[in-house]
Amino acid sequence: MTQSEIQKNFSHMNSMQQQAVFSTEGPLLILAGAGSGKTTVLVNRIAYILQSELCKPWQILAITFTNKAAGELKERICNAVPEGGADIWAATFHSACARILRRYGDRIGYSSHFTVYGSDDQKRLIKDILKQIHIDEKILPAKAVLSEISKAKDKMQTPSEMIKEASFDSRKASIAKAYEIYQARLKTSDAMDFDDMLCNTVLLFEKFPEILEYYQNQFRYIMVDEYQDTNKVQYRFVSMLAEKYGNICVVGDDDQSIYKFRGATIENILSFENTFKGAKIIRLEQNYRSTQNILSAANEVISNNTMRKGKTLWTENGVGDKIEVHTNETERDEAAFIAKTILDGVADGRKFSDYAVLYRMNAQSNAIEQALSRSGIPHRVIGGHRFYDREEIRDMVAYLQVINNPHDDIRLSRIINVPKRSIGATTVSHAADIAAGLGESIYSVIKNAENYPLLSRSAAKLKSFVELIDGFIEAEQSGDYSLAELYNLVVEHTEYKDYLKNEKDNSDVRIENIEELLSNIIKFEEDYDDEADLSSFLEEISLQTDIDNYDADADTCVMMTLHSAKGLEFPIVFIAGMEEGIFPSIATMMNPDELNEERRLAYVGITRAKEKLYFTKTRSRMLFGSTTYNKTSRFVNEISDDLLNFTGEQKSFASSAFQYSSQNSEKISIGTSPNPLYSTGAFGGYKKPAVKNGTVYKVGDSVLHKVFGRGMIMKAEKMGNDIMLEIAFDKAGTKTLMANFSKMEKI
């Protein structure tokens, strides 16, 4: 088949997509706007390379950011290229690195059965280390320590380098010390965290050039999806692999770079053509997802950003509905509006799964979820309590982890007395201290418990536990048991179901979860066939994200943060809380770089909608125990009025707090209300003034608080023998106070 005949196979694509597919040699940056068919381009580009016989399937590396995306990419490649498509390396960064480290990790001191620590395991280990070095977690929280360690690893900074850099900074020095012990404990446990998987692969390449050369020779064509979300180590990894052939194609959208808090470096995509000399840039601007009104709104918002390459999305889908901006009285009214809109849509023939509710922060989800539940709307919260985060699932997975790697101290400590074996925390602590002193794992110590005076009294119980684990290890290594059969052995011989029945609430539900894990194992064995071993199963579940569990076929409305929604699309989208201080969040409003990222997040949210988009906002919002009165989000104001349709309480609350609107939309100016001796009620109308110790409190009164300073009363509600006051303070913001404890006076 001639090249022109091969190219005819791709005539269904638009001209820019075809350019991207046919540009196979040298560095290529595909700036793919939201909904522009980037996955289609990736799949067809791989198909074109293989049909043109430019390389073998196993010489292509395609990197994505989630297991779900990698699976979908591989499935589509196999459909496009039935012969050899399955041999392509379609993987996440972490799974590609894991595959390399399972093969060559022994060169840097790890076995092929190394464990991957998730965030919960990391936190437990750091908490233990902080206790060990006598640091109060109230002063230096585990989360902050882990964040600094992750930043250090992103820079490939070792503990000793961090200690040197800390100099006389005591906080930094404490973190560096914790980092040093953390890495030592990981190594002893034959374990890595997610950052280590990337760092150790780069380290492997640096220390052993022949291994790097092997993979450079193998991967003639490298493709990286979502390149705007890569960090420094990920950039280093792909650039090292691409050094020989230079055929690196990255696909991304600088306008959708929203993961700076995870270490993503937008500079990677902004400086691509400077880093990879002779790079070609192709822009994909035709959108196949949304209506033109939605795209025009997205274009107008993102055009306010600096530091972007620039592109304008357009579509042939038609103009579509205007974006509805609905103002509500409170967050409960906002939630009720969302629920009613969904119910009305379903009554008109829509599916529940057509709807997605997005929000800036998880705290906003409470009122919305309650409203959906009360309305009988089936829904799922993405980013809620994941299946693998449940206590009983963590216990069973910990058993499997210890069978796979008995030197995993964190998982071993979790299950050594679950179910109860009379092995107390003191015994485990003694074993951990001995292990730390010897530079060995806890398992190595308790195998010989009788040799250590501190453990001699518990030696028999520890020996019994070791025999149990050794029996499981022997069964796994014998090859006589499938994964499902091994799992059943663990459940049976630990008597875990009896433990749940006797010790835990909701034991029936917990047992169902234990059985559901068995279903997952069986499905894994069906999917992976001969490659379905214990290590690969544990690796797969450790690398799962919330989005990997999203089932697009289930007829349920979904709720999630804007960050979680990236990569998804829905016919109808609500973005709740379109208010200054909520979105953009108050923490980003004074920092230009962070505000730019917040605007990119708005762009991502807007472009999730295919047919209809709602912005909802409130005049007053209770969040974190305080009521606030926020202006309309600047992201709404950046959109032309001709693209918007305003409904509900259209005028927002003035920031100076001189106006208050009741539910019937009647505008009342404080000081000119029909009766100044009456305060506005929580549900509109008027109430008698609230009185405390002879002092009358009414809406509009000015007060002076000993702590918060000068303020104005916005609400005054009788509650039992007290009065609940909502007060907008000049400097401290809006506070909800009980009058009997308020330490203030009217002025």
Side-chain angles (χ1 to χ4, degrees):
M1 190 181 293
T2 66
Q3 205 64 21
S4 59
E5 287 174 329
I6 292 172
Q7 291 188 357
K8 282 182 183 177
N9 296 334
F10 304 91
S11 58
H12 60 284
M13 307 178 79
N14 69 44
S15 59
M16 299 308 291
Q17 288 176 331
Q18 287 180 23
Q19 275 192 49
V21 167
F22 302 150
S23 301
T24 61
E25 306 307 302
L28 172 65
L29 168 60
I30 302 173
L31 278 176
S36 61
K38 67 181 178 65
T39 306
T40 298
V41 169
L42 270 176
V43 169
N44 282 276
R45 190 171 187 272
I46 292 170
Y48 177 72
I49 288 170
L50 293 177
Q51 288 175 20
S52 301
E53 299 182 350
L54 297 176
C55 71
K56 302 293 184 185
W58 47 268
Q59 292 178 303
I60 296 174
L61 172 63
I63 295 178
T64 65
F65 263 79
T66 66
N67 288 328
K68 186 182 181 70
E72 288 175 355
L73 182 65
K74 196 154 190 173
E75 184 180 344
R76 289 178 64 173
I77 291 168
C78 288
N79 289 336
V81 189
E83 289 186 23
D87 294 331
I88 289 162
W89 274 49
T92 64
F93 274 104
H94 290 106
S95 59
C97 289
R99 189 167 171 180
I100 294 167
L101 291 168
R102 295 282 178 209
R103 183 172 181 180
Y104 292 111
D106 60 315
R107 302 285 189 95
I108 54 172
Y110 292 88
S111 78
S112 60
H113 291 276
F114 67 82
T115 297
V116 181
Y117 275 12
S119 57
D120 186 64
D121 304 306
Q122 291 176 269
K123 198 177 294 181
R124 289 181 66 186
L125 179 55
I126 281 292
K127 282 175 178 283
D128 189 33
I129 291 168
L130 292 176
K131 283 180 187 174
Q132 179 186 334
I133 58 179
H134 309 294
I135 292 177
D136 187 345
E137 210 189 324
K138 291 178 182 176
I139 297 172
L140 191 56
K143 187 177 180 181
V145 176
L146 284 169
S147 175
E148 290 300 318
I149 290 174
S150 183
K151 288 176 185 175
K153 290 183 179 182
D154 184 32
K155 296 186 291 187
M156 297 286 289
Q157 184 181 47
T158 64
S160 59
E161 289 169 342
M162 186 190 267
I163 289 171
K164 189 176 179 181
E165 185 185 85
S167 187
F168 297 107
D169 184 335
S170 60
R171 183 179 184 275
K172 190 92 171 180
S174 296
I175 293 171
K177 181 64 178 173
Y179 179 18
E180 183 178 48
I181 299 170
Y182 175 76
Q183 288 305 110
R185 291 276 296 273
L186 283 173
K187 197 69 177 288
T188 301
S189 297
D190 194 19
M192 302 183 199
D193 61 22
F194 289 119
D195 293 320
D196 285 331
M197 295 174 77
L198 287 153
C199 290
N200 284 336
T201 306
V202 171
L203 180 68
L204 179 72
F205 288 165
E206 289 175 344
K207 282 193 168 185
F208 300 94
E210 70 277 12
I211 296 175
L212 172 60
E213 187 179 9
Y214 171 82
Y215 285 106
Q216 285 176 336
N217 287 331
Q218 176 173 336
F219 298 127
R220 288 176 176 266
Y221 293 93
I222 297 170
M223 276 159 267
V224 185
D225 195 9
E226 305 289 5
Y227 190 67
Q228 77 281 348
D229 294 332
T230 54
N231 60 27
K232 292 173 184 174
V233 184
Q234 289 163 339
Y235 157 75
R236 178 89 178 112
F237 171 70
V238 295
S239 61
M240 289 175 86
L241 288 175
E243 275 175 12
K244 179 166 185 177
Y245 292 107
N247 295 327
I248 181 168
C249 166
V250 302
V251 185
D253 182 358
D254 53 314
D255 290 334
Q256 294 188 70
S257 179
I258 59 171
Y259 293 123
K260 185 180 179 183
F261 67 96
R262 292 183 188 168
T265 308
I266 193 172
E267 287 77 14
N268 285 352
I269 194 167
L270 293 178
S271 63
F272 182 83
E273 60 267 44
N274 296 325
T275 307
F276 296 94
K277 299 303 179 185
K280 185 176 182 180
I281 300 177
I282 295 173
R283 285 174 168 78
L284 304 182
E285 296 175 304
Q286 183 175 357
N287 176 284
Y288 293 91
R289 175 190 299 158
S290 307
T291 64
Q292 188 59 55
N293 271 345
I294 291 170
L295 297 180
S296 296
N299 288 333
E300 289 186 0
V301 170
I302 202 64
S303 67
N304 289 277
N305 261 9
T306 55
M307 295 283 293
R308 58 185 293 259
K309 287 185 171 293
K311 61 186 171 312
T312 302
L313 297 180
W314 61 276
T315 187
E316 295 177 348
N317 289 344
V319 176
D321 293 341
K322 289 186 177 183
I323 296 162
E324 184 165 328
V325 183
H326 189 84
T327 306
N328 306 272
E329 191 71 24
T330 68
E331 74 280 356
R332 291 186 177 277
D333 297 324
E334 176 184 54
F337 167 76
I338 291 170
K340 182 179 184 302
T341 305
I342 293 171
L343 286 176
D344 289 348
V346 171
D348 288 340
R350 284 280 186 188
K351 296 187 294 184
F352 288 112
S353 57
D354 287 346
Y355 296 87
V357 186
L358 312 181
Y359 34 81
R360 177 62 181 84
M361 58 186 94
N362 279 310
Q364 292 173 252
S365 68
N366 185 36
I368 299 168
E369 188 170 12
Q370 286 184 28
L372 298 186
S373 296
R374 282 195 299 269
S375 302
I377 296 172
H379 60 279
R380 176 168 180 205
V381 182
I382 304 292
H385 200 43
R386 291 175 57 220
F387 178 74
Y388 286 100
D389 287 338
R390 290 175 168 84
E391 180 186 12
E392 60 276 11
I393 300 302
R394 282 194 174 279
D395 287 344
M396 296 314 299
V397 169
Y399 270 105
L400 296 176
Q401 295 277 15
V402 171
I403 293 166
N404 183 60
N405 173 16
H407 304 296
D408 185 339
D409 286 351
I410 293 293
R411 271 58 174 267
L412 183 97
S413 299
R414 181 183 182 93
I415 49 95
I416 195 169
N417 199 39
V418 177
K420 290 178 180 173
R421 301 182 176 92
S422 299
I423 302 173
T426 303
T427 299
V428 177
S429 179
H430 287 326
D433 289 342
I434 294 167
L438 296 172
E440 295 183 0
S441 67
I442 293 174
Y443 191 74
S444 300
V445 169
I446 64 174
K447 282 192 83 153
N448 302 292
E450 68 278 2
N451 296 337
Y452 306 103
L454 284 173
L455 303 178
S456 57
R457 290 180 60 186
S458 303
K461 297 163 191 168
L462 292 169
K463 185 178 180 182
S464 177
F465 173 73
V466 167
E467 287 174 350
L468 177 73
I469 298 300
D470 281 347
F472 293 146
I473 293 172
E474 188 178 330
E476 193 268 332
Q477 292 179 348
S478 71
D480 296 335
Y481 296 87
S482 68
L483 270 183
E485 289 168 341
L486 177 67
Y487 176 76
N488 282 331
L489 280 179
V490 175
V491 174
E492 180 184 345
H493 287 278
T494 58
E495 299 179 347
Y496 193 82
K497 288 184 180 178
D498 291 336
Y499 157 72
L500 291 177
K501 288 175 185 174
N502 297 328
E503 302 285 339
K504 296 291 181 180
D505 296 330
N506 302 320
S507 60
D508 290 346
V509 174
R510 291 172 185 265
I511 288 170
E512 285 176 5
N513 289 336
I514 293 298
E515 290 166 351
E516 182 62 21
L517 179 55
L518 175 61
S519 300
N520 289 1
I521 291 171
I522 291 170
K523 187 175 185 303
F524 175 80
E525 290 187 296
E526 290 172 351
D527 289 346
Y528 286 83
D529 200 22
D530 293 339
E531 296 178 14
D533 59 21
L534 181 57
S535 289
S536 54
F537 173 71
L538 293 172
E539 185 177 300
E540 171 155 299
I541 64 176
S542 73
L543 298 178
Q544 274 197 337
T545 66
D546 294 318
I547 299 304
D548 290 327
N549 298 321
Y550 169 60
D551 181 4
D553 296 326
D555 191 18
T556 62
C557 164
V558 294
M559 298 168 52
M560 67 185 84
T561 64
L562 285 147
H563 281 100
S564 295
K566 188 167 173 295
L568 301 177
E569 58 183 48
F570 305 91
I572 303 171
V573 169
F574 299 87
I575 303 181
M578 291 297 284
E579 304 149 29
E580 291 286 291
I582 303 294
F583 188 36
S585 71
I586 198 163
T588 66
M589 288 165 61
M590 302 305 292
N591 184 314
D593 287 343
E594 291 187 8
L595 188 58
N596 277 347
E597 177 141 337
E598 203 81 345
R599 189 173 281 108
R600 292 194 291 268
L601 189 59
Y603 174 84
V604 167
I606 292 167
T607 54
R608 297 313 94 196
K610 296 165 73 174
E611 302 168 26
K612 181 75 177 175
L613 177 62
Y614 292 86
F615 291 152
T616 62
K617 58 192 181 75
T618 66
R619 295 181 55 258
S620 69
R621 183 179 296 276
M622 173 74 81
L623 199 63
F624 306 122
S626 295
T627 300
T628 57
Y629 301 85
N630 303 314
K631 294 180 180 180
T632 300
S633 169
R634 69 189 68 194
F635 303 144
V636 176
N637 294 330
E638 287 169 356
I639 300 171
S640 304
D641 282 352
D642 60 354
L643 298 174
L644 304 174
N645 179 36
F646 294 91
T647 60
E649 297 283 350
Q650 293 181 29
K651 294 182 181 178
S652 61
F653 193 91
S655 59
S656 58
F658 284 116
Q659 291 181 323
Y660 191 91
S661 168
S662 65
Q663 276 193 326
N664 61 10
S665 300
E666 181 183 1
K667 220 35 139 175
I668 301 162
S669 296
I670 300 302
T672 60
S673 73
N675 188 338
L677 294 178
Y678 288 81
S679 62
T680 309
F683 301 100
Y686 295 92
K687 289 189 174 183
K688 289 184 178 180
V691 181
K692 181 240 175 181
N693 295 335
T695 303
V696 177
Y697 288 108
K698 62 183 184 296
V699 172
D701 282 346
S702 293
V703 294
L704 183 65
H705 190 278
K706 289 187 177 180
V707 176
F708 302 127
R710 186 184 297 271
M712 178 181 289
I713 295 176
M714 311 310 302
K715 283 187 182 179
E717 294 291 315
K718 189 83 168 65
M719 294 191 71
N721 295 322
D722 207 342
I723 303 157
M724 184 177 75
L725 303 172
E726 284 184 8
I727 306 170
F729 290 100
D730 293 349
K731 295 182 179 178
T734 303
K735 305 288 182 184
T736 302
L737 306 172
M738 301 308 292
N740 286 339
F741 303 94
S742 59
K743 295 183 181 180
M744 68 182 183
E745 59 184 11
K746 287 175 64 174
I747 54 175

